[in-house]
Coordinates of all heavy atoms in Angstrom, one line a residue:
M1 N 0.8 -1.2 0.0 CA 0.0 0.0 0.0 C 0.9 1.3 0.0 O 0.5 2.3 -0.6 CB -0.9 0.0 1.2 CG -2.0 1.1 1.2 SD -3.5 0.6 2.0 CE -4.5 2.0 1.6
R2 N 2.0 1.2 0.6 CA 2.9 2.3 0.6 C 3.5 2.6 -0.8 O 4.2 3.6 -1.0 CB 4.0 2.2 1.7 CG 3.4 2.3 3.1 CD 4.5 2.5 4.1 NE 5.1 1.2 4.5 CZ 5.9 1.1 5.5 NH1 6.3 2.2 6.2 NH2 6.4 0.0 5.9
R3 N 3.4 1.7 -1.7 CA 3.8 1.9 -3.1 C 2.7 2.6 -3.9 O 2.8 2.7 -5.1 CB 4.3 0.6 -3.7 CG 5.6 0.1 -3.1 CD 6.0 -1.2 -3.7 NE 7.2 -1.7 -3.0 CZ 7.6 -2.9 -3.1 NH1 6.9 -3.8 -3.8 NH2 8.7 -3.3 -2.5
G4 N 1.6 2.8 -3.3 CA 0.5 3.5 -4.0 C -0.6 2.6 -4.6 O -1.5 3.0 -5.2
I5 N -0.4 1.3 -4.3 CA -1.4 0.3 -4.9 C -2.3 -0.2 -3.7 O -1.8 -0.7 -2.7 CB -0.7 -0.9 -5.5 CG1 0.3 -0.4 -6.6 CG2 -1.8 -1.8 -6.2 CD1 -0.3 0.4 -7.7
C6 N -3.6 -0.2 -3.9 CA -4.5 -0.6 -2.8 C -4.5 -2.2 -2.8 O -4.8 -2.8 -3.9 CB -5.9 -0.1 -3.1 SG -7.1 -0.7 -1.9
P7 N -4.3 -2.8 -1.7 CA -4.3 -4.2 -1.6 C -5.7 -4.8 -1.7 O -5.9 -6.0 -1.9 CB -3.7 -4.5 -0.2 CG -4.0 -3.3 0.6 CD -4.0 -2.2 -0.4
K8 N -6.7 -4.0 -1.5 CA -8.1 -4.5 -1.6 C -8.7 -4.4 -2.9 O -9.4 -5.4 -3.4 CB -9.0 -3.7 -0.6 CG -8.6 -3.8 0.9 CD -8.6 -5.2 1.4 CE -8.2 -5.3 2.8 NZ -8.1 -6.7 3.3
C9 N -8.6 -3.3 -3.6 CA -9.2 -3.1 -4.9 C -8.2 -3.0 -6.1 O -8.6 -2.9 -7.2 CB -10.1 -1.9 -4.9 SG -9.2 -0.3 -4.9
S10 N -6.9 -3.0 -5.8 CA -5.8 -3.0 -6.8 C -5.7 -1.7 -7.6 O -5.0 -1.7 -8.6 CB -6.0 -4.2 -7.7 OG -5.9 -5.4 -7.0
H11 N -6.4 -0.7 -7.2 CA -6.3 0.6 -7.9 C -5.1 1.3 -7.4 O -4.7 1.2 -6.2 CB -7.5 1.5 -7.7 CG -8.7 1.1 -8.5 ND1 -9.6 0.1 -8.1 CD2 -9.2 1.5 -9.7 CE1 -10.5 -0.1 -9.0 NE2 -10.3 0.8 -10.0
A12 N -4.5 2.1 -8.3 CA -3.3 3.0 -7.9 C -3.8 4.3 -7.4 O -3.5 5.4 -7.9 CB -2.4 3.1 -9.1
T13 N -4.6 4.3 -6.4 CA -5.3 5.5 -5.9 C -5.1 5.7 -4.4 O -6.0 6.1 -3.7 CB -6.8 5.4 -6.2 OG1 -7.3 4.1 -5.7 CG2 -7.1 5.5 -7.7
V14 N -3.9 5.3 -3.9 CA -3.6 5.5 -2.5 C -2.9 6.8 -2.2 O -1.9 7.1 -2.9 CB -2.7 4.3 -2.0 CG1 -2.3 4.5 -0.6 CG2 -3.5 3.0 -2.2
Y15 N -3.4 7.5 -1.3 CA -2.8 8.8 -0.9 C -2.3 8.7 0.6 O -2.9 7.9 1.4 CB -3.8 9.9 -1.1 CG -4.1 10.1 -2.5 CD1 -5.0 9.3 -3.2 CD2 -3.4 11.1 -3.2 CE1 -5.2 9.5 -4.6 CE2 -3.6 11.3 -4.6 CZ -4.5 10.5 -5.2 OH -4.8 10.7 -6.6
S16 N -1.3 9.5 0.9 CA -0.7 9.4 2.3 C -0.8 10.8 3.0 O -0.5 11.8 2.4 CB 0.7 9.0 2.2 OG 1.4 9.2 3.4
G17 N -1.0 10.7 4.3 CA -1.0 11.9 5.1 C 0.4 12.1 5.8 O 0.4 12.7 6.8
Q18 N 1.4 11.6 5.2 CA 2.8 11.6 5.8 C 3.2 13.0 6.2 O 3.6 13.2 7.4 CB 3.8 11.1 4.7 CG 5.2 11.2 5.1 CD 5.7 10.1 6.1 OE1 5.6 9.0 5.7 NE2 6.2 10.5 7.2
D19 N 3.0 14.0 5.4 CA 3.5 15.3 5.7 C 2.6 15.9 6.8 O 3.2 16.6 7.7 CB 3.4 16.2 4.5 CG 4.5 15.8 3.4 OD1 5.4 15.1 3.8 OD2 4.3 16.2 2.3
L20 N 1.3 15.7 6.8 CA 0.5 16.2 7.9 C 0.9 15.6 9.2 O 0.9 16.2 10.2 CB -1.0 15.8 7.6 CG -1.7 16.6 6.5 CD1 -3.0 16.0 6.2 CD2 -1.8 18.0 6.9
A21 N 1.2 14.3 9.2 CA 1.5 13.6 10.5 C 2.8 14.2 11.1 O 2.8 14.3 12.3 CB 1.7 12.1 10.2
T22 N 3.8 14.6 10.3 CA 5.0 15.1 10.9 C 4.8 16.5 11.3 O 5.5 17.0 12.2 CB 6.2 15.0 9.9 OG1 5.8 15.6 8.7 CG2 6.5 13.5 9.7
Q23 N 4.0 17.3 10.6 CA 3.8 18.7 11.0 C 2.9 18.9 12.2 O 3.1 19.8 13.0 CB 3.2 19.5 9.8 CG 4.3 19.6 8.6 CD 3.6 20.1 7.4 OE1 2.5 20.7 7.4 NE2 4.3 20.0 6.3
A24 N 1.8 18.2 12.2 CA 0.8 18.4 13.3 C 0.6 17.1 14.1 O 0.3 16.1 13.6 CB -0.6 18.7 12.7
S25 N 0.9 17.2 15.4 CA 0.8 16.0 16.2 C -0.6 15.8 16.8 O -0.8 15.1 17.7 CB 1.8 16.1 17.4 OG 1.6 17.3 18.1
N26 N -1.5 16.5 16.2 CA -2.9 16.3 16.6 C -3.6 15.2 15.8 O -4.8 15.0 16.0 CB -3.7 17.6 16.6 CG -3.8 18.2 15.2 OD1 -3.1 17.7 14.2 ND2 -4.5 19.3 15.0
G27 N -2.9 14.5 14.9 CA -3.5 13.4 14.2 C -3.5 12.2 15.2 O -3.3 12.3 16.4
S28 N -3.8 11.1 14.6 CA -3.8 9.9 15.4 C -2.4 9.5 15.9 O -1.4 9.6 15.2 CB -4.4 8.7 14.6 OG -5.6 9.0 14.1
S29 N -2.4 9.0 17.1 CA -1.1 8.5 17.7 C -1.5 7.4 18.7 O -2.6 7.3 19.1 CB -0.3 9.6 18.3 OG -1.0 10.1 19.4
I30 N -0.5 6.5 19.0 CA -0.7 5.5 20.0 C 0.4 5.7 21.1 O 1.5 6.1 20.8 CB -0.6 4.1 19.4 CG1 0.8 3.9 18.7 CG2 -1.7 3.8 18.4 CD1 1.0 2.4 18.3
P31 N 0.0 5.5 22.3 CA 0.9 5.7 23.4 C 1.9 4.5 23.4 O 1.6 3.4 23.2 CB 0.0 5.6 24.7 CG -1.2 4.8 24.3 CD -1.4 5.1 22.8
I32 N 3.2 4.9 23.6 CA 4.3 3.9 23.8 C 4.5 3.6 25.3 O 4.5 2.4 25.7 CB 5.6 4.3 23.1 CG1 5.3 4.6 21.6 CG2 6.7 3.3 23.3 CD1 6.5 5.2 20.9
D33 N 4.7 4.6 26.0 CA 4.8 4.5 27.5 C 4.2 5.8 28.1 O 3.5 6.6 27.3 CB 6.2 4.3 27.9 CG 7.2 5.4 27.4 OD1 6.7 6.5 27.2 OD2 8.4 5.1 27.2
F34 N 4.5 6.1 29.3 CA 3.8 7.3 29.9 C 4.3 8.6 29.3 O 3.6 9.6 29.4 CB 4.1 7.3 31.4 CG 3.4 6.2 32.2 CD1 4.1 5.1 32.7 CD2 2.0 6.2 32.3 CE1 3.5 4.1 33.4 CE2 1.4 5.1 32.9 CZ 2.1 4.1 33.5
R35 N 5.4 8.6 28.7 CA 6.0 9.9 28.2 C 6.0 10.0 26.7 O 6.2 11.1 26.2 CB 7.4 10.1 28.8 CG 7.4 10.5 30.2 CD 8.9 10.5 30.7 NE 9.5 9.2 30.6 CZ 10.8 9.0 30.4 NH1 11.6 10.0 30.3 NH2 11.3 7.8 30.4
H36 N 5.9 8.9 26.0 CA 6.1 9.0 24.6 C 4.9 8.4 23.8 O 4.2 7.5 24.2 CB 7.3 8.1 24.2 CG 8.6 8.6 24.8 ND1 9.0 8.1 26.0 CD2 9.4 9.5 24.5 CE1 10.1 8.7 26.4 NE2 10.4 9.6 25.5
Q37 N 4.7 9.0 22.6 CA 3.7 8.6 21.7 C 4.3 8.4 20.3 O 5.3 9.0 20.0 CB 2.6 9.6 21.5 CG 1.8 9.9 22.8 CD 0.6 10.8 22.5 OE1 0.6 11.6 21.5 NE2 -0.3 10.8 23.4
A38 N 3.7 7.5 19.5 CA 4.1 7.3 18.1 C 3.0 7.8 17.2 O 1.8 7.5 17.3 CB 4.3 5.8 17.9
V39 N 3.4 8.7 16.3 CA 2.5 9.3 15.4 C 2.2 8.3 14.3 O 3.1 7.6 13.8 CB 3.0 10.6 14.8 CG1 2.1 11.1 13.7 CG2 3.2 11.6 15.9
L40 N 0.9 8.2 13.9 CA 0.5 7.2 12.9 C 0.4 8.0 11.6 O -0.2 9.1 11.5 CB -0.8 6.6 13.2 CG -0.8 5.7 14.4 CD1 -2.2 5.2 14.7 CD2 0.1 4.5 14.2
V41 N 0.9 7.4 10.5 CA 0.8 7.9 9.2 C -0.3 7.1 8.5 O -0.2 5.8 8.4 CB 2.1 7.8 8.4 CG1 1.9 8.3 6.9 CG2 3.1 8.7 9.1
H42 N -1.3 7.7 7.9 CA -2.4 7.0 7.3 C -2.2 6.9 5.8 O -1.8 7.9 5.1 CB -3.7 7.6 7.6 CG -4.0 7.7 9.1 ND1 -4.1 6.6 9.9 CD2 -4.2 8.8 9.9 CE1 -4.3 7.0 11.1 NE2 -4.4 8.3 11.1
Y43 N -2.5 5.8 5.2 CA -2.6 5.6 3.7 C -4.0 5.3 3.4 O -4.6 4.3 3.9 CB -1.7 4.5 3.3 CG -0.2 4.9 3.4 CD1 0.4 4.9 4.6 CD2 0.5 5.3 2.3 CE1 1.8 5.3 4.8 CE2 1.9 5.6 2.4 CZ 2.5 5.6 3.6 OH 3.8 6.0 3.7
V44 N -4.6 6.1 2.5 CA -6.1 5.9 2.2 C -6.2 5.7 0.7 O -5.7 6.4 -0.1 CB -6.8 7.2 2.6 CG1 -8.3 7.1 2.2 CG2 -6.7 7.5 4.1
C45 N -7.0 4.7 0.4 CA -7.4 4.4 -1.0 C -8.7 5.2 -1.3 O -9.7 5.0 -0.6 CB -7.7 3.0 -1.3 SG -8.3 2.6 -2.9
V46 N -8.6 6.2 -2.2 CA -9.7 7.0 -2.5 C -10.7 6.3 -3.4 O -11.8 6.9 -3.7 CB -9.3 8.4 -3.0 CG1 -8.5 9.2 -2.0 CG2 -8.6 8.3 -4.4
E47 N -10.4 5.1 -3.9 CA -11.3 4.4 -4.7 C -12.3 3.6 -3.8 O -13.5 3.7 -4.0 CB -10.6 3.4 -5.6 CG -11.5 2.6 -6.5 CD -12.2 3.4 -7.6 OE1 -11.7 4.5 -7.9 OE2 -13.3 2.9 -8.0
C48 N -11.8 2.8 -2.8 CA -12.7 2.0 -2.0 C -12.7 2.4 -0.6 O -13.5 1.9 0.2 CB -12.2 0.5 -2.1 SG -10.7 0.2 -1.3
G49 N -11.9 3.3 -0.1 CA -11.9 3.8 1.2 C -11.1 3.0 2.2 O -11.1 3.3 3.4
Y50 N -10.3 2.0 1.7 CA -9.5 1.3 2.6 C -8.4 2.1 3.2 O -7.8 2.9 2.6 CB -8.9 0.1 1.9 CG -8.1 -0.8 2.7 CD1 -8.6 -1.6 3.7 CD2 -6.7 -0.9 2.6 CE1 -7.9 -2.5 4.5 CE2 -5.9 -1.7 3.4 CZ -6.5 -2.5 4.3 OH -5.7 -3.3 5.1
V51 N -8.1 1.9 4.5 CA -7.1 2.7 5.3 C -6.1 1.8 5.9 O -6.5 0.8 6.6 CB -7.8 3.6 6.3 CG1 -6.7 4.4 7.1 CG2 -8.8 4.5 5.7
E52 N -4.8 2.1 5.8 CA -3.8 1.4 6.6 C -3.0 2.5 7.4 O -2.9 3.7 6.9 CB -2.8 0.7 5.8 CG -3.3 -0.6 5.3 CD -2.3 -1.5 4.5 OE1 -1.1 -1.0 4.3 OE2 -2.6 -2.6 4.1
S53 N -2.5 2.2 8.6 CA -1.7 3.1 9.4 C -0.4 2.6 9.7 O -0.2 1.4 10.0 CB -2.5 3.4 10.7 OG -3.7 4.0 10.4
Y54 N 0.6 3.4 9.6 CA 2.0 3.0 9.9 C 2.7 4.0 10.8 O 2.3 5.2 10.9 CB 2.8 3.0 8.6 CG 2.4 2.0 7.6 CD1 1.4 2.2 6.7 CD2 3.1 0.7 7.6 CE1 1.0 1.2 5.8 CE2 2.7 -0.2 6.7 CZ 1.7 0.0 5.8 OH 1.3 -0.9 4.9
I55 N 3.6 3.5 11.6 CA 4.5 4.4 12.3 C 5.8 4.6 11.5 O 6.4 3.6 11.1 CB 4.9 3.8 13.7 CG1 3.7 3.6 14.6 CG2 6.0 4.6 14.4 CD1 3.9 2.8 15.8
S56 N 6.1 5.8 11.1 CA 7.2 6.0 10.2 C 8.5 6.5 11.0 O 9.6 6.5 10.5 CB 6.9 7.1 9.1 OG 6.6 8.3 9.7
D57 N 8.3 6.9 12.3 CA 9.4 7.4 13.1 C 10.2 6.2 13.6 O 9.7 5.4 14.5 CB 8.8 8.1 14.3 CG 9.9 8.7 15.2 OD1 11.1 8.4 15.0 OD2 9.5 9.4 16.2
R58 N 11.4 6.0 13.1 CA 12.2 4.9 13.5 C 12.6 4.8 15.0 O 12.7 3.8 15.6 CB 13.5 4.8 12.7 CG 13.4 4.8 11.2 CD 12.6 3.7 10.6 NE 13.1 2.4 11.0 CZ 12.6 1.2 10.5 NH1 11.6 1.2 9.7 NH2 13.2 0.1 10.9
S59 N 12.7 6.0 15.6 CA 13.1 6.0 17.0 C 11.9 5.5 17.8 O 12.0 4.9 18.9 CB 13.5 7.4 17.5 OG 12.4 8.3 17.3
A60 N 10.6 5.8 17.4 CA 9.5 5.3 18.1 C 9.4 3.8 17.9 O 9.1 3.1 18.9 CB 8.2 5.9 17.5
L61 N 9.7 3.3 16.8 CA 9.7 1.8 16.5 C 10.8 1.1 17.4 O 10.5 0.1 18.0 CB 10.0 1.5 15.1 CG 8.9 1.9 14.1 CD1 9.3 1.7 12.7 CD2 7.6 1.2 14.4
A62 N 11.9 1.8 17.5 CA 13.0 1.2 18.4 C 12.6 1.2 19.9 O 12.9 0.3 20.6 CB 14.3 2.0 18.2
R63 N 11.9 2.3 20.3 CA 11.4 2.3 21.6 C 10.4 1.2 21.9 O 10.4 0.6 23.0 CB 10.8 3.7 21.9 CG 10.5 4.0 23.4 CD 9.9 5.4 23.6 NE 10.8 6.4 23.1 CZ 11.8 6.9 23.8 NH1 12.1 6.4 25.0 NH2 12.6 7.8 23.3
I64 N 9.5 1.0 21.0 CA 8.5 -0.1 21.1 C 9.2 -1.5 21.2 O 8.9 -2.3 22.1 CB 7.5 -0.1 20.0 CG1 6.5 1.1 20.1 CG2 6.7 -1.4 19.9 CD1 5.7 1.4 19.0
Y65 N 10.2 -1.6 20.4 CA 11.0 -2.9 20.4 C 11.6 -3.1 21.7 O 11.6 -4.3 22.3 CB 12.1 -2.8 19.3 CG 13.0 -4.0 19.3 CD1 12.6 -5.2 18.8 CD2 14.3 -3.9 19.8 CE1 13.5 -6.3 18.8 CE2 15.2 -4.9 19.8 CZ 14.7 -6.2 19.3 OH 15.6 -7.2 19.3
R66 N 12.1 -2.1 22.4 CA 12.8 -2.2 23.7 C 11.8 -2.4 24.8 O 12.1 -3.1 25.8 CB 13.7 -1.0 24.0 CG 14.9 -0.8 23.1 CD 15.8 0.2 23.7 NE 15.2 1.5 23.9 CZ 15.2 2.5 23.0 NH1 15.7 2.3 21.8 NH2 14.6 3.6 23.3
Q67 N 10.6 -1.8 24.7 CA 9.8 -1.7 25.9 C 8.6 -2.6 25.9 O 8.0 -2.9 26.9 CB 9.3 -0.2 26.1 CG 10.5 0.7 26.3 CD 10.1 2.1 26.6 OE1 10.9 3.1 26.4 NE2 8.9 2.3 27.0
W68 N 8.1 -2.9 24.7 CA 6.8 -3.7 24.7 C 7.1 -5.2 24.7 O 8.1 -5.6 24.1 CB 6.0 -3.3 23.4 CG 5.3 -2.0 23.5 CD1 5.6 -1.0 24.3 CD2 4.2 -1.6 22.6 NE1 4.7 0.1 24.0 CE2 3.9 -0.3 23.0 CE3 3.6 -2.2 21.6 CZ2 2.9 0.4 22.4 CZ3 2.5 -1.5 20.9 CH2 2.2 -0.2 21.3
P69 N 6.2 -5.9 25.3 CA 6.4 -7.4 25.3 C 5.9 -7.9 24.0 O 5.1 -7.3 23.3 CB 5.5 -7.9 26.5 CG 4.4 -6.8 26.5 CD 5.1 -5.5 26.2
L70 N 6.3 -9.1 23.6 CA 5.7 -9.8 22.5 C 4.4 -10.3 22.9 O 4.1 -10.6 24.1 CB 6.6 -10.9 22.1 CG 7.9 -10.6 21.4 CD1 8.8 -11.8 21.2 CD2 7.7 -10.0 20.0
P71 N 3.5 -10.5 21.9 CA 2.2 -11.2 22.2 C 2.5 -12.6 22.8 O 3.5 -13.2 22.5 CB 1.5 -11.3 20.9 CG 2.1 -10.2 20.1 CD 3.5 -10.1 20.5
L72 N 1.7 -13.1 23.7 CA 2.0 -14.3 24.5 C 2.2 -15.5 23.5 O 3.1 -16.3 23.7 CB 0.8 -14.6 25.4 CG 0.7 -13.8 26.7 CD1 -0.5 -14.1 27.5 CD2 2.0 -13.9 27.5
A73 N 1.4 -15.6 22.4 CA 1.5 -16.7 21.5 C 2.9 -16.7 20.8 O 3.3 -17.8 20.2 CB 0.4 -16.7 20.5
N74 N 3.6 -15.6 20.8 CA 4.8 -15.5 20.1 C 6.0 -15.1 21.0 O 6.9 -14.5 20.6 CB 4.6 -14.4 19.0 CG 5.8 -14.4 18.0 OD1 6.4 -15.4 17.8 ND2 6.1 -13.2 17.4
N75 N 5.9 -15.5 22.2 CA 6.8 -15.0 23.2 C 8.1 -15.9 23.3 O 8.3 -16.5 24.3 CB 6.1 -14.9 24.6 CG 6.8 -13.9 25.5 OD1 7.8 -13.3 25.1 ND2 6.3 -13.8 26.7
K76 N 8.9 -15.8 22.3 CA 10.1 -16.7 22.2 C 11.4 -15.8 22.0 O 12.3 -16.4 21.5 CB 10.0 -17.7 21.1 CG 8.8 -18.7 21.3 CD 8.7 -19.5 20.0 CE 7.4 -20.4 20.1 NZ 7.1 -21.0 18.8
R77 N 11.3 -14.5 22.2 CA 12.5 -13.7 21.9 C 13.7 -14.1 22.7 O 13.6 -14.5 23.9 CB 12.2 -12.2 22.2 CG 13.2 -11.3 21.7 CD 13.0 -9.9 22.2 NE 11.9 -9.2 21.5 CZ 11.5 -8.0 21.8 NH1 12.1 -7.3 22.8 NH2 10.6 -7.4 21.2
Ligands
ZN106 ZN1 -8.9 0.4 -2.8

């Protein structure tokens, strides 16, 4: 989907709010811990309305890797 192709309808009609997400932190975000949040970048298909969200901030991903547990079914780290 980040290459602009919708995985649901196969149209090349995917748009990204990447720039908005970095400029304005009032978009969607998820809490990482008590002090940090990860901003979500949305990719929207304007043909069918399908939406995917990504964290593009590598430092936020690294923080999640260090601090979050794996899901129980996959807890073999
Ligand atoms: Zn679509």
Side-chain angles (χ1 to χ4, degrees):
M1 190 149 186
R2 289 195 277 186
R3 292 177 180 162
I5 308 298
C6 178
K8 299 298 181 186
C9 72
S10 301
H11 283 85
T13 50
V14 176
Y15 292 81
S16 168
Q18 171 83 55
D19 293 338
L20 288 173
T22 53
Q23 288 168 17
S25 57
N26 59 355
S28 302
S29 63
I30 58 173
I32 300 175
D33 57 29
F34 290 112
R35 287 175 295 150
H36 300 93
Q37 296 186 339
V39 174
L40 295 177
V41 176
H42 302 300
Y43 289 77
V44 177
C45 174
V46 298
E47 179 67 25
C48 72
Y50 182 69
V51 180
E52 284 185 357
S53 300
Y54 293 85
I55 297 170
S56 62
D57 180 355
R58 301 303 302 189
S59 65
L61 294 174
R63 191 178 300 281
I64 288 170
Y65 174 75
R66 289 194 305 269
Q67 297 184 203
W68 284 19
L70 288 170
L72 285 178
N74 189 28
N75 204 357
K76 298 174 187 168
R77 190 190 285 178

